[in-house]
Structures are given as structure tokens and as C-alpha cells.
Amino acid sequence: QKEVEQNSGPLSVPEGAIASLNCTYSDRGSQSFFWYRQYSGKSPELIMFIYSNGDKEDGRFTAQLNKASQYVSLLIRDSQPSDSATYLCAVKKGSARQLTFGSGTQLTVLP
Amino acid sequence: DAGVIQSPRHEVTEMGQEVTLRCKPISGHDYLFWYRQTMMRGLELLIYFNNNVPIDDSGMPEDRFSAKMPNASFSTLKIQPSEPRDSAVYFCASSLNPGATEAFFGQGTRLTVV
């Protein structure tokens, strides 16, 4: 079992819809959870991080964490074509400094 | 700050040749990470440094790979000899300590070994 699992997609949604990206992790000692966005040919850039169970909202983005189910998700409201990218879920265990990444979900927002 | 700077951006080399990738972290960042990204395996951590000292190199695939950080502003990842299966995008990232929440990535080096 991979430490961090994501549905590779591709996931296609129409412009203006809600895109839902999911991630599960295997290590219950994981403490911090990150969503990175990576455009084709570019480097990953941080969108959001979450530490506590529940929801965290930032503009059109909402991260959701459920530690009991070892599940973290990212919702993108009012999706735009510019949101088309690969979204990487990353997990940090305890006091560790390194991130463990999932394989990413490719999102396409159709105009 | 210019962010994490990597060089070269692209490298094409022949199998068996030595390859050296370079990274300049963001000034003041205590942690430096080397990642490799391929379609098959995604983004994998190779090694990371704290205050120029290698902390975890368990992700380094083989002895052909080596990394150094001679000072706080420079790190290298060397592959000798290179093989076609080393072809990937290599990212360097840096972060602050303590209390850092994110790692900032460089633009990456796309390595092709033919």
C-alpha cells in the first residue's frame, strides 16, 4: 500500500462546477497535510495546508481533513480553466521535515 | 528573494557520463530537499539536509547518486555513471525551521540520459 494515495484521474469538470479531489494516507502518525498544484512543465506550488480535523477555507479552495478515516480532500468551487493542473497531496509525519507525496490527480476544467 | 534556483534547467547526456545538478536554496532556509519526479513513480524524496548536514538519504536509489551541501547557499546532486532510467525531473526545495509549513520548490532540472 502506498503511503499517500490519490486517484490519478483525469478528472474533468465544467467551468463553474465544484471539483473534488481526494487523498488517503496510511500512517496514523501523520500530522500535517498539504495540497500542491503543479501546472504542466512547472514546479509544485502550495495551495493549502491543514492540521486539524474539519474544514479550512481559503477563497475558492476548501481543504477537509478526517484523521479517523485517514482522509483529506480539496474542494475547488467555481472551477476555472486556469485551475486545470495536477494536484498533489502531501503528508508530513510527526516532527518529520520531509513531505511524502501522492502521485497526483490531473484536473481539467472545461470552458 | 529569487526563490530556489536550480541549474541547469535541461540536461541531455549520454549513458555513462557524470551529471551534476545544482541548487541554491532561499536565503535563511535551514532545510534543503532533493526530489525526483517521473510519470511512473511520481514525486519521490531522494535526500534532505538540515543546516548543511544530510539527515535522511534513504531515498537515494543507488550508490551512483550522491549529494553534497558544502554551505548554506549551495547543494549538488551528482549521478555517476548516469543511466537512461535516471531520466526524470529533479526538483530542489527548501524550507524554514522551526515551524515551517511548506517547502518552496525550484523550477526543476529535466534530465534526459540517452
Side-chain angles (χ1 to χ4, degrees):
Chain A
Q1 182 188 9
K2 289 184 179 180
E3 292 189 64
V4 182
E5 298 218 42
Q6 296 181 253
N7 188 329
S8 61
L11 173 66
S12 294
V13 299
E15 185 174 354
I18 296 175
S20 178
L21 305 164
N22 304 316
C23 172
T24 58
Y25 58 95
S26 60
D27 190 334
R28 286 195 173 273
S30 300
Q31 297 291 324
S32 313
F33 307 87
F34 303 80
W35 283 99
Y36 280 78
R37 177 177 62 199
Q38 187 176 25
Y39 292 114
S40 180
K42 301 296 185 182
S43 59
E45 54 180 343
L46 184 71
I47 299 175
M48 291 190 70
F49 61 88
I50 186 168
Y51 301 143
S52 304
N53 276 328
D55 295 359
K56 180 180 179 181
E57 187 175 314
D58 184 0
R60 296 187 296 114
F61 299 94
T62 299
Q64 299 176 317
L65 175 61
N66 184 326
K67 288 187 177 180
S69 301
Q70 296 175 242
Y71 176 91
V72 58
S73 65
L74 179 70
L75 300 178
I76 307 175
R77 291 183 300 281
D78 188 23
S79 296
Q80 301 297 309
S82 59
D83 294 326
S84 299
T86 295
Y87 289 80
L88 300 165
C89 173
V91 171
K92 191 181 288 188
K93 303 178 207 179
S95 60
R97 278 297 169 190
Q98 68 271 36
L99 295 173
T100 301
F101 284 86
S103 55
T105 298
Q106 184 180 344
L107 172 67
T108 300
V109 180
L110 304 169
Chain B
D1 199 313
V4 177
I5 299 173
Q6 292 187 246
S7 64
R9 291 294 307 277
H10 302 274
E11 176 81 32
V12 180
T13 190
E14 292 185 346
M15 183 174 62
Q17 297 298 304
E18 177 180 298
V19 175
T20 299
L21 312 180
R22 297 172 176 80
C23 175
K24 176 179 166 54
I26 294 172
S27 177
H29 281 193
D30 299 285
Y31 284 82
L32 183 140
F33 309 85
W34 282 101
Y35 287 90
R36 177 174 68 175
Q37 187 173 41
T38 62
M39 288 294 292
M40 290 296 296
R41 301 175 67 89
L43 200 58
E44 305 173 281
L45 178 69
L46 300 177
I47 184 172
Y48 80 93
F49 296 82
N50 175 214
N51 291 323
N52 314 336
V53 176
I55 303 300
D56 184 353
D57 65 354
S58 59
M60 297 285 262
E62 300 170 35
D63 291 345
R64 298 185 296 107
F65 286 69
S66 62
K68 295 182 179 179
M69 192 165 185
N71 57 63
S73 59
F74 184 66
S75 177
T76 60
L77 178 68
K78 185 178 294 186
I79 308 172
Q80 166 63 17
S82 57
E83 297 183 4
R85 60 195 169 115
D86 301 330
S87 297
V89 180
Y90 290 80
F91 286 104
C92 175
S94 69
S95 71
L96 273 171
N97 180 52
T101 58
E102 69 172 297
F104 294 85
F105 283 78
Q107 290 303 303
T109 295
R110 181 173 295 277
L111 173 66
T112 304
V113 183
V114 298

